[in-house]
Amino acid sequence: ICNLRGTQIPGKIYYYTAYDKPIIVALDGDFKDELRIYLSSFNRFILCDNNEKSIRAAITEAKAHLGKVHYELVDQLEPEYMARKILGR
């Protein structure tokens, strides 16, 4: 679940990208539309709104992907890439 305030993306989203499983991100907060655009660019996450109907649909989609979709770590979400960006290298 995303933060209600601010633009920071929760770190757990980055941690989970290394898993070969679907990742559901419940979008919420002031910048949920911007986060939807950004996160959808990776073609890695199942995005939903933070309400029961949307979360249930996302869970159903994730179940359908299990064992059928292979997820690879996106370069821009690798820890080394993020460290280089932070350090300006």
Side-chain angles (χ1 to χ4, degrees):
I1 297 176
C2 292
N3 300 327
L4 286 175
R5 304 270 183 262
T7 59
Q8 183 176 2
I9 297 172
K12 60 187 162 213
I13 292 174
Y14 292 102
Y15 302 142
Y16 294 155
T17 59
Y19 295 153
D20 187 25
K21 294 181 180 178
I23 300 169
I24 298 171
V25 178
L27 299 167
D28 204 351
D30 299 333
F31 296 94
K32 74 177 184 178
D33 295 330
E34 291 84 353
L35 288 173
R36 183 181 306 276
I37 292 167
Y38 176 70
L39 292 174
S40 66
S41 72
F42 296 112
N43 197 25
R44 173 63 182 94
F45 306 102
I46 298 172
L47 305 174
C48 66
D49 291 318
N50 191 12
N51 64 60
E52 183 179 352
K53 182 179 178 182
S54 188
I55 292 170
R56 284 183 181 275
I59 290 170
T60 299
E61 183 179 347
K63 284 181 180 179
H65 287 192
L66 284 174
K68 296 177 183 165
V69 178
H70 176 70
Y71 296 99
E72 293 185 19
L73 184 57
V74 178
D75 290 341
Q76 292 92 340
L77 299 177
E78 288 186 16
E80 293 83 8
Y81 178 88
M82 298 305 290
R84 283 192 303 273
K85 292 292 279 185
I86 291 169
L87 297 173
R89 295 183 182 169

